[in-house]
Amino acid sequence: MMKHWHLFLAFFRVGILGYGGGPSSIPLVQKEAVGRYRWLNDEEFGDILALGNTLPGPIATKMAGYIGYRVAGVFGAVTATFATVLPTVCLMVVLLTVFTSFKDLTWVAGATKGVTPVVGVMLAMLAFDFFNKARTGGLGLRNTVILLLASFVALTVLRVHPGALIAGLLLLAIVQPDKEK
């Protein structure tokens, strides 16, 4: 029963603090699942995040469903997914009612704009953390930088879908000959 309570608390916090959409929730999911409760290590989190990005649908609920299932089976998946969605649904009803009524007030407009840089910093910290893990986790600095630049060009210049890029990299990793043999 404590597993379900902890899943609910962890993903309720993600749901209520993940302001700005799915990507802003990713650092929060990592903090809860890896940092606080230690249901996953960083490498497992990165694998789940990469695979989750290749699938359709919101990333926070996909990650909640999988992590919940991994921690406590089917009911864990239901608990974590429900906890992720519940705050959003409640806040949508309350906040949209309030913001619609007061949207022309300066402080309401300022508060909405002020959250954006905070989400940007959270995502930059997560990206830097992934860069360091790739660099020290076996790829090395040169290969990490090459993959970083190639991914940047693929996403921004060639406009490759992120899911296609991740799927391609996963396929490349699968068919690449094992150097240890």
Side-chain angles (χ1 to χ4, degrees):
M1 195 63 176
M2 284 305 285
K3 285 182 183 176
H4 290 277
W5 177 242
H6 288 157
L7 280 168
F8 182 84
L9 285 177
F11 285 99
F12 186 82
R13 279 190 290 263
V14 169
I16 204 162
L17 298 174
Y19 188 86
S24 67
S25 300
I26 294 169
L28 300 170
V29 173
Q30 183 189 32
K31 182 167 181 63
E32 296 291 337
V34 176
R36 184 182 304 250
Y37 291 107
R38 302 192 187 287
W39 293 318
L40 311 166
N41 62 37
D42 285 323
E43 186 177 343
E44 293 168 326
F45 182 82
D47 292 344
I48 294 168
L49 178 61
L51 187 59
N53 274 322
T54 65
L55 302 173
I59 189 68
T61 52
K62 287 183 286 189
M63 293 187 80
Y66 178 77
I67 293 169
Y69 179 79
R70 188 171 156 156
V71 171
V74 172
F75 291 116
V78 171
T79 300
T81 304
F82 176 72
T84 302
V85 174
L86 179 64
T88 304
V89 171
C90 293
L91 287 174
M92 283 286 290
V93 171
V94 172
L95 290 178
L96 283 177
T97 302
V98 171
F99 281 164
T100 301
S101 300
F102 301 105
K103 67 180 180 186
D104 295 328
L105 294 177
T106 306
W107 72 268
V108 173
T112 303
K113 291 176 185 171
V115 169
T116 304
V118 174
V119 171
V121 168
M122 290 169 59
L123 289 173
M125 290 172 57
L126 184 65
F128 184 72
D129 193 38
F130 277 123
F131 177 82
N132 273 334
K133 285 183 179 100
R135 183 180 57 84
T136 60
L139 279 180
L141 179 61
R142 186 179 61 105
N143 289 339
T144 300
V145 170
I146 289 170
L147 274 175
L148 178 85
L149 294 174
S151 299
F152 182 78
V153 168
L155 292 172
T156 59
V157 176
L158 303 174
R159 301 209 178 270
V160 173
H161 188 277
L165 180 62
I166 291 169
L169 288 172
L170 289 174
L171 185 63
L172 183 65
I174 290 170
V175 299
Q176 183 180 20
D178 192 359
K179 292 180 180 175
E180 293 181 8
K181 288 183 179 178

